[in-house]
């Protein structure tokens, strides 16, 4: 979706609101199984003393795969949008986006910001216990029958008790 900024380019204080949905084609991550709905963004571009700034919020409802236990979980990801728009990106700064015919390509900017903000770890919950390295049981569902010596803290304890 193109957003034409012509009317605020020369107008400090001017602003243009936007509201759009993001295309998810190409936004593939191994831990994202699906997008529940198209990610939705709301915000504005404003002329801050001669500099065009895009700000807003992008919300995505995701079905993810947990890195530790492999279970699916749902998550709502919010990305704060903050980008600078320039007429010419001479230094090819990746944080700057360029105007083309006085317009910006919202989809391109939003998907770039979304990718940059992507988590490096996907966990179904912060204290996900993961799978037992021995028997593969999902330890969130309860302990397995393997020896507790798997845990190095218990191994140390056992050594102390053996003496
Ligand atoms: Zn998990
Ligand atoms: Zn086990």
């Amino acid at each position: 979706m193109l957003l034409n900024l012509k009317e605020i380019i020369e107008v400090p204080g001017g602003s243009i609101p936007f509201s759009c949905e993001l295309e998810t084609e190409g936004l593939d991550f191994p831990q994202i199984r699906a997008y529940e709905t198209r990610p939705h963004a709301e915000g504005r571009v404003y002329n801050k003393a001669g500099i065009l700034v895009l700000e807003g919020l992008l919300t995505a409802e995701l079905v993810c795969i947990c890195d530790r236990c492999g279970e699916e979980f749902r998550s709502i990801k919010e990305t704060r949008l903050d980008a600078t728009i320039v007429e010419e990106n001479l230094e090819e700064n990746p944080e700057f986006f360029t105007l083309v015919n006085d317009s910006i390509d919202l989809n391109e900017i939003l998907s770039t910001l979304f990718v940059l903000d992507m988590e490096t770890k996907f966990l179904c919950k912060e204290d996900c216990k993961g799978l037992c390295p021995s028997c593969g049981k999902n330890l969130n569902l309860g302990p397995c029958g393997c020896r507790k010596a798997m845990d190095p803290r218990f191994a140390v304890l056992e050594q102390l008790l053996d003496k």
Side-chain angles (χ1 to χ4, degrees), residues 131-137 139 143-147 150:
L131 304 176
C132 169
S134 261
C135 68
K137 181 176 169 173
L139 298 175
C144 63
C146 299
R147 289 189 55 197
M150 294 302 307

Side-chain angles (χ1 to χ4, degrees), residues 66 68-70 124-125 128 140:
C66 178
R68 277 191 205 150
C69 70
C124 61
K125 53 187 178 194
C128 171
N140 295 310

